[in-house]
Amino acid sequence: NAEYMGGKRVGKRFKMSTDLINRVLSALSRGEVPKDAGGQTLDNITFEVIQLSAGETDDLVKKFAEGLARVPNFNCKLHLANCSLSDQGALWLSRALRSAHGIEELFLSQNKITHLGAIHIAESISQNTNLRVLDLLNNPIEDEGVLRLAEAICVNRTLETFKIGPLTDAGVAHLCYMLKVNRTVTSLAIDVGGCESGAAEALTLVADALRSQQTLQHIQVTGHESPDRVAELTYLTNKNRLKALRTSGPNNSTSGGANLLDVPVRRYLDNTVYAALNQAMYALQQKMSVDSSLSLKEQLMYLSDFLLQKQEST
């Protein structure tokens, strides 16, 4: 029903107004699973909260956590991105993760969660056996919070997708330790833009961690400008049979990787050749951004010269 409780429904996903959430919370407070206007049980639903202030979000998250404690098997996915969610809200979410068995996804990007809120969440996911997705990108989480999250994910056995950043050098090191231990995360997105030593060093650590990692299938790295290291990651993408590698710079500009050279091509190429071709494609892309008038012949000659120089240098 498209008019269910004032919410906008797209498939099984609702953009929830404050009034809509209050109605859902009313059902949960009675220990009942919410239903739509036609009496259909709303199970396995994605609730997306929009246009709330910090105080409103924290208060509603508290009520939601209390309601889920009464209906622990209510299956849902929570989208709380860009809602000014604070550490207090993260505390209530952590309590919900402990008491409710049905929360499968938590999208918390672009909020105000610091290391304190991250620690609360870490304490709950170390015990949680249902959460599959955790998105904490674009939150001011400091090194202590990243460490505690990494430690929790090391013992968690259900999390499949993890997104976090911006990371510092120490944060990248904590994450790489997690990569070497965890065997359930298949999709990873990180922002390395906060690294003081430069993103190249951060990518080197990630590449090193991936050498012993056989679980990841998708990885996205943002916040860097380091084509050589991206080429190394591309090599490991091939070696470890990752299905996708996506990379971009501080302004979301493409910086190389499997998105420049179609992934299926790699099955026909030697790993070293595949990595060199990606570097060449990146270099050509940079040149074309300055001079877009290059003819096809000139582009092919540029690629040829680049690869010859690469061969001579090795």
Side-chain angles (χ1 to χ4, degrees):
N1 189 320
E3 297 181 355
Y4 164 68
M5 297 183 187
K8 181 179 180 182
R9 184 172 185 175
V10 182
K12 285 192 174 183
R13 180 168 175 170
F14 289 87
K15 288 182 177 294
M16 301 180 72
S17 64
T18 302
D19 179 62
L20 169 56
I21 274 202
N22 285 333
R23 291 171 182 264
V24 170
L25 291 176
S26 177
L28 292 176
S29 68
R30 298 191 300 271
E32 303 172 357
V33 175
K35 298 180 179 180
D36 63 19
Q40 179 183 359
T41 298
L42 293 176
D43 197 30
N44 195 24
I45 295 294
T46 297
F47 292 121
E48 183 173 2
V49 178
I50 58 174
Q51 298 177 342
L52 296 179
S53 66
E56 287 178 317
T57 301
D58 289 347
D59 183 56
L60 288 174
V61 167
K62 175 185 177 182
K63 293 177 180 177
F64 204 85
E66 292 172 340
L68 288 176
R70 296 183 176 89
V71 191
N73 293 319
F74 177 50
N75 295 318
C76 61
K77 304 173 180 67
L78 303 180
H79 285 235
L80 302 172
N82 197 22
C83 286
S84 301
L85 187 72
S86 71
D87 292 330
Q88 184 60 45
L91 171 61
W92 285 108
L93 280 175
S94 70
R95 294 179 179 177
L97 287 171
R98 288 193 186 96
S99 60
H101 308 303
I103 301 178
E104 298 179 353
E105 300 179 2
L106 267 183
F107 290 86
L108 307 176
S109 63
Q110 294 180 289
N111 280 300
K112 299 179 179 180
I113 300 173
T114 71
H115 68 286
L116 297 175
I119 290 172
H120 293 317
I121 294 173
E123 290 173 346
S124 62
I125 64 174
S126 63
Q127 306 168 26
N128 185 277
T129 58
N130 290 281
L131 189 67
R132 295 186 296 103
V133 177
L134 178 59
D135 182 354
L136 289 167
L137 276 171
N138 297 315
N139 279 283
I141 298 174
E142 299 174 357
D143 296 338
E144 175 66 17
V146 177
L147 172 62
R148 296 291 290 275
L149 285 166
E151 291 175 340
I153 295 173
C154 281
V155 299
N156 180 279
R157 292 293 178 267
T158 60
L159 195 68
E160 299 172 358
T161 298
F162 183 49
K163 303 180 181 183
I164 192 168
L167 298 172
T168 66
D169 297 289
V172 170
H174 298 326
L175 186 77
C176 288
Y177 170 75
M178 179 272 289
L179 285 175
K180 294 178 180 179
V181 176
N182 178 273
R183 290 296 179 268
T184 61
V185 174
T186 59
S187 180
L188 176 70
I190 58 174
D191 181 345
V192 297
C195 297
E196 294 182 1
S197 64
E201 180 64 25
L203 291 179
T204 299
L205 290 174
V206 173
D208 180 64
L210 288 178
R211 293 182 192 280
S212 60
Q213 167 62 254
Q214 298 293 325
T215 306
L216 275 176
Q217 297 180 15
H218 304 84
I219 182 169
Q220 178 176 351
V221 184
T222 59
H224 70 87
E225 292 287 357
S226 183
D228 290 341
R229 293 298 183 269
V230 169
E232 184 176 5
L233 282 174
T234 302
Y235 170 84
L236 291 167
T237 297
N238 189 7
K239 177 184 176 184
N240 292 11
R241 297 182 176 85
L242 269 71
K243 294 180 180 179
L245 166 66
R246 293 291 179 266
T247 63
S248 64
N251 298 316
N252 292 322
S253 57
T254 301
S255 296
N259 49 332
L260 289 184
L261 196 63
D262 288 342
V263 174
V265 173
R266 72 183 185 209
R267 71 184 64 175
Y268 304 107
L269 300 173
D270 174 82
N271 291 335
T272 304
V273 173
Y274 183 76
L277 282 172
N278 270 277
Q279 284 184 288
M281 292 288 286
Y282 172 76
L284 177 60
Q285 184 188 60
Q286 295 298 97
K287 185 174 180 63
M288 292 289 289
S289 67
V290 177
D291 183 8
S292 60
S293 64
L294 291 178
S295 66
L296 175 60
K297 181 179 179 180
E298 289 172 326
Q299 293 178 44
L300 291 173
M301 289 182 63
Y302 180 86
L303 287 173
S304 177
D305 291 341
F306 183 94
L307 291 170
L308 284 173
Q309 292 176 11
K310 186 74 176 176
Q311 182 183 31
E312 292 172 357
S313 66
T314 56

